[in-house]
Amino acid sequence: MNWFATNFISAFLLPPLNLLVLVVVGTLLLRRRPQLGRRLIALSLTLLYALSTPVCADRLLGLLERHAGPARLDQNAGAIVVLG
């Protein structure tokens, strides 16, 4: 699989695009199964809003930082790399 196809598929699997795809699926389901369509739209929009707030971002970042180990210092390091 080439680079474009890999990135295109991964974009649909990661937020926020996957939640927008769920909104479209919910909209398409409104005619056939209205209750399921409305619930899917409401859930997708709620998750999209929650993931865009700083409170949720800080909680998710806290979960990642808690499991990260302490930084190792190497006296023979030739470079310092700062991520983020």
Side-chain angles (χ1 to χ4, degrees):
M1 208 181 304
N2 63 6
W3 176 83
F4 180 75
T6 304
N7 286 338
F8 188 75
I9 291 170
S10 67
F12 279 99
L13 297 176
L14 297 172
L17 194 55
N18 64 350
L19 295 174
L20 294 176
V21 170
L22 281 178
V23 168
V24 171
V25 170
T27 305
L28 294 174
L29 283 174
L30 279 176
R31 189 168 280 205
R32 195 170 281 182
R33 302 202 42 202
Q35 186 176 10
L36 178 64
R38 283 193 301 269
R39 284 184 180 181
L40 194 59
I41 291 170
L43 177 69
S44 301
L45 292 177
T46 303
L47 285 174
L48 188 63
Y49 173 74
L51 289 174
S52 65
T53 59
V55 174
C56 186
D58 291 339
R59 297 247 174 140
L60 291 173
L61 188 60
L63 290 173
L64 290 175
E65 288 175 344
R66 185 179 331 143
H67 294 294
R72 259 187 344 170
L73 297 178
D74 186 6
Q75 300 300 329
N76 298 328
I80 298 173
V81 177
V82 178
L83 301 175

